[in-house]
Amino acid sequence: KNQVEQSPQSLIILEGKNCTLQCNYTVSPFSNLRWYKQDTGRGPVSLTIMTFSENTKSNGRYTATLDADTKQSSLHITASQLSDSASYICVVTYTGTASKLTFGTGTRLQVTL
Amino acid sequence: GAVVSQHPSRVICKSGTSVKIECRSLDFQATTMFWYRQFPKQSLMLMATSNEGSKATYEQGVEKDKFLINHASLTLSTLTVTSAHPEDSSFYICSAQIAGLNEQFFGPGTRLTVL
């Protein structure tokens, strides 16, 4: 069982609409949680990073939330654009293994006209 | 800042040949670089961790004699896939980490196709 699970696996929304992606993790204790955007055929690009003491972090139209008690995070995308079509990956780092990242399964988002 | 490049971006080779992929940190020195492999519709899987000037640490199940990693300088790491086979076809991504900073910066990836 993957220690970082994301839902939904894929999502199609209309341009201009909002959406929320979910991430549940069992990694413990954890150091930080990151959300990445990965365009097809490209490397991941960091959107947000949160430590266990942070509840929310925004980056433009992207807002990430974290509930360390329930081990859940979400990524909310506001006013979606066609360029938001990509895979969104939730990544958790263990405390003590500072450099080792545990990758989620990813959510494939497609924004259509 | 914190730009990581990879070369080539895509390569096609015949089975049995060796392929070298370069990973460079363009505007910072990376004491540690990581190599990942990603199969279609799957997440990134860490292959190995390399520190400048020392031997790479490979993840379980990754053959060190098949995937040769060299981290000769603070800005360059190379991954050589030796005697490539079709099952080695994948998307290879490197990342680089600045000393003391708990964040990895990813390269754009290299698409390897072995015929």
Side-chain angles (χ1 to χ4, degrees):
Chain A
K1 182 175 167 72
N2 200 315
Q3 291 184 298
V4 182
E5 294 201 338
Q6 294 183 239
S7 62
Q9 189 174 28
S10 61
L11 181 63
I12 302 174
I13 62 173
L14 293 175
E15 185 182 29
K17 298 295 186 183
N18 304 335
C19 67
T20 300
L21 314 180
Q22 301 290 344
C23 174
N24 295 332
Y25 62 93
T26 58
V27 173
S28 181
F30 96 114
S31 175
N32 57 62
L33 185 146
R34 301 170 167 92
W35 282 92
Y36 286 91
K37 177 186 179 186
Q38 185 178 21
D39 292 310
T40 301
R42 306 291 293 175
V45 174
S46 179
L47 295 175
T48 63
I49 177 170
M50 292 181 289
T51 64
F52 70 92
S53 61
E54 295 179 286
N55 300 120
T56 185
K57 184 70 70 78
S58 291
N59 178 1
R61 295 180 296 103
Y62 301 103
T63 299
T65 65
L66 174 64
D67 186 335
D69 292 331
T70 60
K71 296 185 172 61
Q72 295 180 326
S73 176
S74 66
L75 180 69
H76 186 74
I77 304 174
T78 304
S80 62
Q81 301 176 358
L82 296 178
S83 58
D84 292 333
S85 297
S87 287
Y88 291 84
I89 308 172
C90 173
V91 182
V92 179
T93 303
Y94 290 93
T95 299
T97 56
S99 299
K100 191 161 277 190
L101 308 181
T102 302
F103 289 80
T105 49
T107 292
R108 290 183 173 274
L109 173 66
Q110 184 177 349
V111 181
T112 65
L113 291 172
Chain B
V3 178
V4 177
S5 70
Q6 283 184 239
H7 178 79
S9 58
R10 51 176 73 231
V11 56
I12 300 173
C13 69
K14 292 183 179 179
S15 186
T17 60
S18 294
V19 175
K20 180 185 285 189
I21 303 170
E22 292 186 347
C23 175
R24 293 182 185 272
S25 56
L26 298 184
D27 50 2
F28 65 98
Q29 292 187 327
T31 51
T32 305
M33 287 186 169
F34 305 83
W35 286 97
Y36 296 84
R37 182 165 50 180
Q38 185 178 32
F39 291 106
K41 297 186 179 181
Q42 293 188 21
S43 198
L44 279 73
M45 296 295 294
L46 179 65
M47 298 175 66
T49 302
S50 75
N51 291 294
E52 185 264 337
S54 61
K55 290 184 178 180
T57 302
Y58 290 81
E59 295 299 300
Q60 191 173 10
V62 178
E63 300 174 56
K64 62 180 182 180
D65 294 329
K66 181 171 182 62
F67 299 99
L68 302 179
I69 292 172
N70 185 289
H71 191 164
S73 77
L74 288 172
T75 59
L76 174 64
S77 176
T78 60
L79 168 68
T80 301
V81 182
T82 62
S83 186
H85 290 283
E87 58 264 31
D88 297 324
S89 298
S90 187
F91 192 53
Y92 292 86
I93 304 173
C94 74
S95 70
Q97 182 171 305
I98 302 171
L101 191 64
N102 187 16
E103 183 165 3
Q104 294 180 29
F105 300 94
F106 289 87
T110 295
R111 172 75 59 193
L112 170 63
T113 303
V114 184
L115 302 176

